């Protein structure tokens, strides 16, 4: 029974990959032949690099920073405790429902520290709501990991697809110097603890690292390899006016900033790690849909976080016009990858870790980016039929040759 299940899963995986790759080729051809439109998406490529304003942006993947409060004091933090506001739970759920209706497939809860508010209850209830009620394919969290308890996993783990823990160094002193820590508690112990819980409760485990002047020369290869995250996101330390630089900011992060070349050197030093996903400053500024604690989209393109109106007041479509979100940059940075625990589990069951990491990145291109239209599906089936006939022809020919030779 188990073997049958595995074989079926393997066939399904194979089929979906062939399907996606052929679909990608088709899309590429039709983009070339039929102008700039990419079928299956609502994205219209304009001739210039400026985003086309009258296009409809679908909020497929949303980052909801529902709180700005945090128990850490990272010196470079770009989402600081400027308010202590958190929406009432029911209002937050209403906003999430609006996003789902507008096409959201993935929600990521962030902050501040998302596990801080009501000791993780608020977060847990949103996670459960998104998976159970809204049936979102992917629910994820980014956390510093310091406030997570096993009880939380017992209660809410089954509703969570991905948990990313931020860790900027595998040297405790460096973490402390950065501000990533609270009192005498060990950030690294927490990281390992949460990593093990993720395995136990079948939640995909990710690591986020911000590369800055304090860790730019650190070789993290051994630690990352032993922790085996499904993705290791490596951010270049970013400055945001009003957050970690300039007037009214709560941080002065200039001393953390590294050059593009230094960031590239860090990436080169870690190029053996397949699951590494680099995020330069440019990529980060316009390829994320960020919602703040009032459910306002934040536009980071001008180097600060300019808020739209709240989706609770004007709806998603009106608010998203002011988000500064560039769907092309989102796809380019690989914003769509295997992001549901069901698909992830399939990959985890079938493939060893190193292939797993590569496949996460390959699927980034093939899986979600390119959604087939019916026409493409038809062409795909025809192609598969042709392939099958071709194979049949080869087999028959070989058979005839063997018969002739024997005679
Ligand atoms: C703002 S934090 C909130 C979630 C949680 N408190 C944490 O640290 O993971 C979200 C992510 O942004 C990253 N981050 C914070 N400041 C940054 C900066 N200046 N440049 C790049 N990434 C940054 C954090 O390391 C973390 O992975
Ligand atoms: S980056 Fe650090 S200070 Fe900022 S929210 Fe996360 S843990 Fe808190």
């Amino acid at each position: 029974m188990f073997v049958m299940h595995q074989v079926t899963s393997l066939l399904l995986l194979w089929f979906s990959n062939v399907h996606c790759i052929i679909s990608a080729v088709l899309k590429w051809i039709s983009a070339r032949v039929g102008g700039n439109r990419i079928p299956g998406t609502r994205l219209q490529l304009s001739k210039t690099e400026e985003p086309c304003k009258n296009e409809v942006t679908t909020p497929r993947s949303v980052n909801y920073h529902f709180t700005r409060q945090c128990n850490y004091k990272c010196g470079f933090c770009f989402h600081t405790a400027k308010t202590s506001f958190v929406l009432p739970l029911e209002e937050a759920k209403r906003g999430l429902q609006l996003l789902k209706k507008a096409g959201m497939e993935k929600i990521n809860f962030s902050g501040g520290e998302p596990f801080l508010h009501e000791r993780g209850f608020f977060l847990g209830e949103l996670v459960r709501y998104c998976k159970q009620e809204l049936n979102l394919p992917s629910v994820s969290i980014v956390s510093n990991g310091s406030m997570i308890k096993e009880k939380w996993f017992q209660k809410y783990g089954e509703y969570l697809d991905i948990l990313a823990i931020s860790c900027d160094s595998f040297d405790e002193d460096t973490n402390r110097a950065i501000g990533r820590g609270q009192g005498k508690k060990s950030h690294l112990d927490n990281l390992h603890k949460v990593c093990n819980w993720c395995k136990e409760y079948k939640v995909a485990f990710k690591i986020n690292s911000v590369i800055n002047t304090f860790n730019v020369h650190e070789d993290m290869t051994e630690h990352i390899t032993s922790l085996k995250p499904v993705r290791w996101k490596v951010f270049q330390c970013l400055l945001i006016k009003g957050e970690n630089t300039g007037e009214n900011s709560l941080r002065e992060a200039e001393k953390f900033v590294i050059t593009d070349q230094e960031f590239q050197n860090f990436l080169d030093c870690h190029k053996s790690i397949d699951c590494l996903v680099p995020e330069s400053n440019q990529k980060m500024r316009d390829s994320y849909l960020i919602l703040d604690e009032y459910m306002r989209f934040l536009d980071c393109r001008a180097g600060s976080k300019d808020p739209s109106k709240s989706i609770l007041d004007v709806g998603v479509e009106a608010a998203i016009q002011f988000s500064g979100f560039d769907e092309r940059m989102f796809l380019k940075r690989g914003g769509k990858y295997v992001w549901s625990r069901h698909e992830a589990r399939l990959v985890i069951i079938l493939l060893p870790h190193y292939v797993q990491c590569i496949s996460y990145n390959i699927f980034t291109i093939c899986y979600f980016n390119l959604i087939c239209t019916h026409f493409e599906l038809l062409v795909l089936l025809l192609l598969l039929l042709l392939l099958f006939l071709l194979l049949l022809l080869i087999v028959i020919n070989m058979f005839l040759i063997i018969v002739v030779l024997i005679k």
Side-chain angles (χ1 to χ4, degrees):
M1 194 63 189
F2 180 72
V3 175
M4 275 298 290
H5 176 71
Q6 297 293 302
V7 172
T8 321
S9 302
L10 193 57
L11 281 173
L12 275 173
L13 190 70
W14 179 84
F15 180 78
S16 81
N17 281 339
V18 172
H19 154 229
C20 287
I21 289 163
I22 296 177
S23 156
V25 174
L26 281 171
K27 278 167 193 301
W28 184 82
I29 294 169
S30 66
R32 293 285 163 298
V33 176
N36 281 334
R37 189 176 170 271
I38 299 177
T41 73
R42 295 157 86 181
L43 180 64
Q44 200 86 22
L45 291 187
S46 56
K47 289 217 166 69
T48 64
E49 279 306 310
E50 282 301 305
C52 178
K53 276 299 164 197
N54 50 14
E55 77 195 25
V56 182
T57 304
T58 311
R60 282 201 189 91
S61 175
V62 176
N63 295 276
Y64 176 27
H65 296 246
F66 62 80
T67 178
R68 282 178 168 272
Q69 296 296 305
C70 186
N71 57 327
Y72 276 15
K73 292 189 173 61
C74 307
F76 52 62
C77 184
F78 62 16
H79 206 81
T80 52
K82 302 196 90 171
T83 75
S84 57
F85 180 82
V86 178
L87 277 171
L89 189 58
E90 288 312 310
E91 276 298 271
K93 285 183 183 173
R94 182 166 78 84
L96 291 165
Q97 195 177 31
L98 292 176
L99 288 160
K100 161 81 194 216
K101 279 187 189 147
M104 177 169 69
E105 293 167 17
K106 180 180 192 290
I107 181 77
N108 177 50
F109 295 105
S110 186
E113 175 46 44
F115 282 89
L116 187 64
H117 188 59
E118 295 174 358
R119 295 173 180 232
F121 171 79
F122 185 89
L123 174 65
E125 287 305 306
L126 289 187
V127 164
R128 177 165 39 203
Y129 177 73
C130 285
K131 189 52 91 181
Q132 209 171 41
E133 310 275 321
L134 299 183
N135 282 317
L136 286 188
S138 179
V139 181
S140 68
I141 300 172
V142 182
S143 159
N144 65 31
S146 65
M147 315 258 327
I148 309 178
K149 302 272 180 280
E150 187 171 7
K151 264 192 179 166
W152 193 94
F153 273 97
Q154 288 164 349
K155 196 167 170 193
Y156 300 111
E158 64 180 293
Y159 309 110
L160 184 64
D161 294 292
I162 305 168
L163 177 57
I165 301 296
S166 299
C167 179
D168 310 315
S169 173
F170 291 90
D171 179 285
E172 208 67 86
D173 290 337
T174 309
N175 279 327
R176 274 198 206 102
I178 287 172
R180 205 173 269 296
Q182 186 187 21
K184 289 205 173 101
K185 285 189 211 156
S186 160
H187 183 68
L188 296 174
D189 284 354
N190 281 330
L191 177 76
H192 284 96
K193 212 160 54 183
V194 175
C195 174
N196 290 334
W197 285 333
C198 282
K199 278 186 196 126
E200 200 179 327
Y201 293 91
K202 301 194 171 42
V203 173
F205 175 69
K206 264 175 56 173
I207 297 180
N208 285 3
S209 300
V210 179
I211 309 312
N212 60 80
T213 46
F214 288 70
N215 62 5
V216 66
H217 298 301
E218 190 174 324
D219 184 352
M220 306 185 189
T221 309
E222 214 184 301
H223 296 279
I224 296 292
T225 311
S226 87
L227 281 160
K228 296 194 183 83
V230 293
R231 275 193 141 200
W232 180 33
K233 271 207 179 179
V234 174
F235 303 114
Q236 181 180 3
C237 183
L238 179 67
L239 288 181
I240 298 278
K241 274 181 255 160
E243 293 282 351
N244 59 8
T245 187
E247 245 177 83
N248 303 325
S249 65
L250 296 181
R251 300 280 196 283
E252 287 171 2
E254 289 82 358
K255 67 170 179 176
F256 290 91
V257 171
I258 56 168
T259 62
D260 291 350
Q261 187 55 53
E262 284 174 313
F263 185 58
Q264 190 53 52
N265 293 347
F266 182 90
L267 298 179
D268 290 345
C269 171
H270 295 86
K271 63 173 181 286
S272 64
I273 301 179
D274 298 314
C275 56
L276 189 159
V277 181
E279 299 226 343
S280 63
N281 283 179
Q282 176 58 32
K283 263 193 199 175
M284 286 172 78
R285 268 191 211 106
D286 47 13
S287 69
Y288 282 90
L289 262 183
I290 303 173
L291 271 185
D292 74 358
E293 64 277 22
Y294 301 98
M295 287 200 154
R296 305 177 301 186
F297 286 112
L298 298 179
D299 180 352
C300 302
R301 284 174 306 170
S304 55
K305 287 185 168 170
D306 301 325
S308 69
K309 292 205 166 114
S310 171
I311 62 167
L312 296 170
D313 297 331
V314 298
V316 176
E317 207 175 297
I320 211 167
Q321 303 294 322
F322 299 93
S323 66
F325 174 66
D326 187 338
E327 208 165 357
R328 280 165 299 168
M329 280 304 284
F330 167 71
L331 297 177
K332 212 167 141 190
R333 81 163 160 84
K336 282 191 154 224
Y337 51 94
V338 179
W339 58 28
S340 143
R341 65 192 278 146
H342 299 295
E343 286 134 28
R345 198 178 290 148
L346 197 64
V347 178
I348 287 161
I349 291 168
L350 295 170
L351 305 169
H353 178 72
Y354 64 98
V355 185
Q356 215 187 92
C357 284
I358 298 171
S359 55
Y360 261 77
N361 292 327
I362 293 177
F363 290 175
T364 295
I365 312 164
C366 308
Y367 230 99
F368 272 96
N369 291 359
L370 308 160
I371 302 156
C372 265
T373 61
H374 288 113
F375 169 72
E376 284 161 353
L377 211 61
L378 195 71
V379 176
L380 172 77
L381 287 174
L382 283 175
L383 277 175
L384 282 176
L385 192 70
L386 266 175
L387 198 71
F388 176 74
L389 289 176
L390 202 72
L391 281 174
L392 201 69
L393 216 67
I394 292 171
V395 171
I396 292 171
N397 271 336
M398 281 176 70
F399 178 74
L400 287 176
I401 289 169
I402 291 168
V403 170
V404 168
L405 281 177
I406 290 171
K407 277 193 173 175

